[in-house]
Amino acid sequence: IGAEFLSTKINNTMLEYVVNNDDFDKETKQWATSLLNRAKENMNQFVKMNDKVVEITKYDTVYKYPQNVAILINENVASAAEQFLLDAKQSKKVKLFGTTTAGGLDLANVYETLSPSKEFILEYSTSRSMRIPEMIIDEKGVQPDFYLDKSIPKYKWIDFVVNVLNEN
């Protein structure tokens, strides 16, 4: 699922930085140029960060191993790690074990700007997920497939998961 970028004068400077910085590879600079052009045409509006709202990747080979993948999660998992979990869960082989994640993914691409007085720095999100409002992650988190409650101490989580995987 894609994301939208809020086109503002300040936010667009972030894209200009990418376009004009030789530390970024050609592909990234081309993407930033394309987004910057759309952003400039749609000031003070959200613009799609990519051409497609939903991108589907199909692999021509599905390997036999690993047969089962367990990912341990808890309240300290957030942001890009939550995106990794959403991507990983697309595989039938992957199961999440633990507790609900932090829920910090829907609003992203944090940018900062100095206040006019130069006494404060404001950090804010410049983009939002196109999952909103149907599949909100912020403040809800990603739910585990196997909830590990407080009766299982965290230091025993791995043993618990190995037992579950070996039962199947």
Side-chain angles (χ1 to χ4, degrees):
I1 309 263
E4 296 176 303
F5 177 81
L6 181 59
S7 173
T8 67
K9 184 178 177 183
I10 293 174
N11 291 355
N12 293 349
T13 61
M14 177 175 56
L15 296 173
E16 289 168 351
Y17 173 79
V18 173
V19 169
N20 297 315
N21 189 324
D22 290 333
D23 290 339
F24 292 95
D25 61 62
K26 182 180 176 182
E27 185 177 303
T28 301
K29 290 174 86 161
Q30 286 174 339
W31 170 82
T33 300
S34 173
L35 178 55
L36 179 59
N37 290 338
R38 290 192 312 275
K40 286 181 176 179
E41 292 172 7
N42 296 282
M43 287 298 293
N44 302 314
Q45 298 178 50
F46 279 97
V47 292
K48 293 178 190 166
M49 293 181 74
N50 292 304
D51 294 333
K52 299 176 183 173
V53 174
V54 175
E55 216 172 295
I56 297 174
T57 303
K58 241 183 167 178
Y59 297 98
D60 51 351
T61 304
V62 176
Y63 296 99
K64 182 176 180 179
Y65 295 103
Q67 290 181 328
N68 295 303
V69 176
I71 302 175
L72 297 175
I73 63 173
N74 66 17
E75 66 281 355
N76 296 318
V77 176
S79 194
E82 287 173 310
Q83 184 61 54
F84 165 75
L85 296 176
L86 294 177
D87 291 347
K89 281 181 60 106
Q90 298 300 308
S91 170
K92 295 176 191 175
K93 297 179 177 189
V94 175
K95 296 294 179 207
L96 306 182
F97 291 79
T99 59
T100 305
T101 65
L105 178 61
D106 298 329
L107 303 175
N109 296 302
V110 174
Y111 193 57
E112 64 180 41
T113 188
L114 196 57
S115 69
S117 68
K118 302 195 183 344
E119 293 184 34
F120 303 99
I121 294 175
L122 172 66
E123 293 183 344
Y124 63 96
S125 297
T126 61
S127 67
R128 67 181 179 192
S129 170
M130 295 177 81
R131 282 187 308 274
I132 300 171
E134 292 85 6
M135 193 179 152
I136 294 173
I137 300 299
D138 285 7
E139 295 188 15
K140 289 184 176 186
V142 176
Q143 304 298 312
D145 299 302
F146 292 84
Y147 180 73
L148 303 182
D149 67 19
K150 289 181 176 29
S151 70
I152 305 167
K154 287 187 179 179
Y155 73 92
K156 291 187 177 182
W157 279 18
I158 293 175
D159 292 336
F160 179 86
V161 169
V162 168
N163 288 335
V164 169
L165 293 179
N166 287 334
E167 287 175 6
N168 295 330

